[in-house]
Amino acid sequence: MIPMPTPSDPALVRVRMDLAYDGTDYKGWATQPGLPTVQGALEDGLAMIIRRPVRTVVAGRTDAGVHARGQVVHFDLTEAEWNAVTRNPDEAGPASTLVRRLSGALSRERGALVVTGASLAPEGFDARFSALWRSYRYAISDSSETRDPLNRRSTYWHREPLDAELMDAEAKAVLGLHDFLTFCKPREGATTIRELQDFGFIRDGQSGLITAYLQADAFCHNMVRALVAAVVQVGEGRHPAGWVSERLEAMVRDSQTRLAPPHALVLEHVEYPDVDSDPRALAFRAAGTRARRTVV
């Protein structure tokens, strides 16, 4: 049970922070003792500025090696801590000052982790539970002509040619609200029901690269990489068209559930309700997301 605040407790403000990172050298988002992680690096930087441990809540945990362009976190500070971020009257407000000071504290990351923005969060905001959807992309090279050594840390070099049109049709066949148990690593007490809102593959006419794009209300552990790997197996001719839908309906995670390599995956964007049209939308969304979903 969460203790109720007392009149002597300091008032808290919630801060939203936007991040981008190259996940190559990190062991994923979540803090792990003795290992480099994105959360660990960020919270170390915040502790230097706020002068106490600051716990962050992330919109979507990323696996080891996975990148992000539009990650979102929140954390809570006292009003005094927020105002103290700006140390003299000549500085800008706390939000821009926090970005500048944290960028300095994160210089040890050599550009792998960048804070792209900070602001006081609207009432009811929760980086994880208030999100409407998240989107990812996954880049694939399936021929020597499309190999670019400068992009090798963010592109999957597949050995065999792929049928991008077949893969696109296979991906679109599993859109909608389903139990994605086949493509998820279940967490105790958590549901694997998700609404896959967009999933497709397209080959760029100039570069020749194939890009997968995915959007869902949320993704469970390993879901993106497992879905991409399944569709790739159809695209290379290992399984017939319709196999991914059959796997989805089977609802069984077994040796046929494979994972695409993590380094080609990028969290692109996290979308939240528009508080200008409804100031209560964030809190309502968070409450609804916390409720256990069922297929309808």
Side-chain angles (χ1 to χ4, degrees):
M1 180 180 295
I2 300 174
M4 295 296 292
T6 67
S8 60
D9 289 336
L12 296 177
V13 297
R14 177 153 293 183
V15 181
R16 168 179 170 161
M17 184 167 282
D18 295 82
L19 313 170
Y21 49 85
D22 176 348
T24 303
D25 298 324
Y26 295 111
K27 301 301 181 182
W29 163 263
T31 299
Q32 302 179 59
L35 295 176
T37 67
V38 182
Q39 184 180 27
L42 178 63
E43 291 183 356
D44 284 349
L46 285 169
M48 290 177 60
I49 296 169
I50 307 302
R51 300 182 182 277
R52 67 165 175 87
V54 176
R55 192 65 173 173
T56 57
V57 175
V58 71
R61 290 188 177 187
T62 48
D63 294 337
V66 175
H67 318 291
R69 182 173 286 110
Q71 184 66 278
V72 181
V73 302
H74 80 248
F75 52 90
D76 295 330
L77 304 177
T78 67
E79 290 184 356
E81 289 170 337
W82 174 248
N83 292 327
V85 169
T86 303
R87 294 180 293 188
N88 64 70
D90 296 329
E91 287 185 313
S96 58
T97 302
L98 180 60
V99 172
R100 178 182 60 77
R101 294 181 62 188
L102 192 52
S103 297
L106 293 174
S107 61
R108 69 186 73 179
E109 303 302 310
R110 300 184 178 182
L113 172 56
V114 175
V115 177
T116 58
S119 62
L120 282 179
E123 184 177 353
F125 179 82
D126 185 293
R128 177 184 177 189
F129 290 111
S130 294
L132 292 171
W133 50 261
R134 291 97 167 148
S135 64
Y136 285 84
R137 70 165 177 82
Y138 193 96
I140 305 172
S141 165
D142 65 340
S143 70
S144 59
E145 290 80 9
T146 62
R147 306 282 197 259
D148 184 349
L150 299 183
N151 294 333
R152 71 190 186 282
R153 287 158 66 108
S154 58
T155 306
Y156 171 35
W157 289 6
H158 191 266
R159 295 180 179 179
E160 303 294 333
L162 298 170
D163 185 333
E165 292 185 1
L166 176 61
M167 292 162 63
D168 187 58
E170 193 75 4
K172 287 181 168 50
V174 295
L175 290 174
L177 183 66
H178 305 284
D179 191 329
F180 284 92
L181 175 63
T182 301
F183 304 104
C184 294
K185 184 177 182 181
R187 298 182 188 275
E188 185 177 355
T191 179
T192 51
I193 296 171
R194 297 291 188 271
E195 182 185 11
L196 187 59
Q197 300 164 342
D198 200 2
F199 186 21
F201 289 76
I202 187 170
R203 187 185 295 275
D204 186 271
Q206 293 184 333
S207 70
L209 290 176
I210 298 173
T211 299
Y213 51 90
L214 304 91
Q215 178 181 310
D217 56 347
F219 291 93
C220 46
H221 193 205
N222 290 159
M223 180 176 164
V224 177
R225 293 167 59 200
L227 282 170
V228 170
V231 174
V232 165
Q233 290 179 69
V234 174
E236 67 186 3
R238 187 181 299 270
H239 296 289
W243 181 74
V244 178
S245 293
E246 292 175 2
R247 291 285 295 158
L248 175 66
E249 294 175 4
M251 289 180 55
V252 56
R253 184 180 176 89
D254 55 24
S255 60
Q256 295 189 81
T257 301
R258 302 181 179 179
L259 300 181
H263 70 278
L265 183 59
V266 181
L267 171 61
E268 289 285 349
H269 183 72
V270 183
E271 183 70 11
Y272 294 95
D274 180 9
V275 294
D276 291 334
S277 59
D278 184 356
R280 302 169 298 174
L282 289 166
F284 284 162
R285 175 62 181 176
T289 304
R290 287 186 174 94
R292 189 176 182 87
R293 285 169 287 190
T294 57
V295 177
V296 294

